[in-house]
Amino acid sequence: MVRIDNLTVSYRQHPALHHVSGEFANGSLTAVIGPNGSGKSTLLKSIMGLLTSAGGRVQVNTPRARIAYLPQMTEIDRSFPMPVRDCVLLGCWSALGAWGGVDTGMLARADAAIHSVGLEGFEERTVGSLSSGQFQRVLFARLLMQDADLILLDEPFNAMDSRTTAALLDLIKQWHAQGRTVIAVLHDDVQVRAHFDQTVLLARELVAWGDTATVLTQANLLRARALAEAWDDSADICHTDEVSA
């Protein structure tokens, strides 16, 4: 589904990702894990095409309209007084565009998605009135509406209670069972071991990529921590001869 080839992404000419290569197979369920500042969110944004690479390339083998992306909660503004149902219907944007109309079938799908995340009765509530866990459920309902081949989740369980986390993990497992490709940035290695078959371990550069049991070894985790602590953002600018793509 996604091929990463020698990818380098820089902020202020210092690398956030440094010469990373690997492949996400069709239908795979992969966690991206690593210390803070290790490039996890940068990897997802690069797959989405939101960042320009300093070198290497990202190849995604599905149309942009078939990709669903959930950013970190802190990147989403909830101040606009939008009802829950309307927020969920935004998942139809790629099919409707700016001027398309919502039909009864889409309304029924939206209500079914809201029900599936346990928020029946919240359809007319504004998103700003919801708790963080409730709002994250709304965003997962919106992902359900997108019906995507590739689903990118950036810290989907951050600050979530255990009940919400369990419900959202069930949805992720359903997507995996349906043959969708899911890539999730996570922090909890115990959670990763329990629920994700594949893992990418980053520390700005690639530490390990493959089966979770072989990636999340004590040696690899210690190496990732050492690499993260060794990075110096005041060091000389990283130059690359690779062609941006």
Side-chain angles (χ1 to χ4, degrees):
M1 177 61 73
V2 181
R3 176 174 294 167
I4 311 293
D5 184 15
N6 201 30
L7 178 67
T8 295
V9 180
S10 299
Y11 296 109
R12 296 181 298 277
Q13 295 182 291
H14 290 280
L17 283 176
H18 198 242
H19 300 298
V20 172
S21 296
E23 295 184 357
F24 296 95
N26 283 314
S28 57
L29 177 60
T30 308
V32 181
I33 196 168
N36 290 336
S38 59
K40 303 182 295 294
S41 296
T42 298
L43 179 62
L44 262 60
K45 290 177 180 178
S46 298
I47 294 171
M48 273 298 297
L50 301 176
L51 297 174
T52 302
S53 68
R57 62 181 299 172
V58 177
Q59 179 183 342
V60 181
N61 295 318
T62 194
R64 177 66 176 269
R66 301 290 297 172
I67 305 174
Y69 170 56
L70 180 65
Q72 292 183 27
M73 185 84 71
T74 55
E75 298 181 22
I76 301 174
D77 181 6
R78 286 202 276 161
S79 61
F80 187 79
M82 178 180 289
V84 164
R85 183 184 285 114
D86 289 355
C87 184
V88 172
L89 283 167
L90 287 174
C92 300
W93 181 268
S94 61
L96 294 175
W99 309 110
V102 175
D103 59 27
T104 55
M106 289 179 179
L107 287 171
R109 283 183 57 212
D111 286 345
I114 292 168
H115 184 275
S116 71
V117 298
L119 288 180
E120 59 275 11
F122 283 69
E123 291 82 359
E124 301 303 324
R125 290 269 299 271
T126 59
V127 295
S129 70
L130 304 178
S131 69
S132 295
Q134 289 167 342
F135 182 56
Q136 194 74 320
R137 288 172 184 257
V138 170
L139 296 178
F140 266 69
R142 189 174 70 182
L143 292 173
L144 285 168
M145 294 293 288
Q146 290 184 252
D147 192 28
D149 297 326
L150 173 62
I151 301 170
L152 308 175
L153 308 171
D154 196 350
E155 299 188 16
F157 312 127
N158 193 30
M160 295 297 107
D161 60 82
S162 59
R163 183 167 174 262
T164 298
T165 297
L168 299 183
L169 274 168
D170 284 343
L171 280 177
I172 289 173
K173 291 175 182 177
Q174 289 176 33
W175 287 331
H176 179 47
Q178 291 164 358
R180 305 178 197 273
T181 305
V182 182
I183 306 170
V185 168
L186 300 172
H187 285 284
D188 186 342
D189 59 332
V190 174
Q191 190 178 74
V192 172
R193 294 177 198 276
H195 301 287
F196 289 78
D197 301 329
Q198 299 287 307
T199 297
V200 177
L201 178 58
L202 294 175
R204 299 203 191 187
E205 63 185 69
L206 180 63
V207 177
W209 189 326
D211 293 339
T212 295
T214 61
V215 169
L216 292 185
T217 63
Q218 189 66 18
N220 283 339
L221 292 170
L222 288 173
R223 179 167 178 255
R225 182 181 300 176
L227 285 170
E229 292 173 350
W231 275 101
D232 182 2
D233 286 328
S234 64
D236 292 339
I237 292 170
C238 175
H239 297 283
T240 177
D241 295 326
E242 300 294 334
V243 177
S244 296

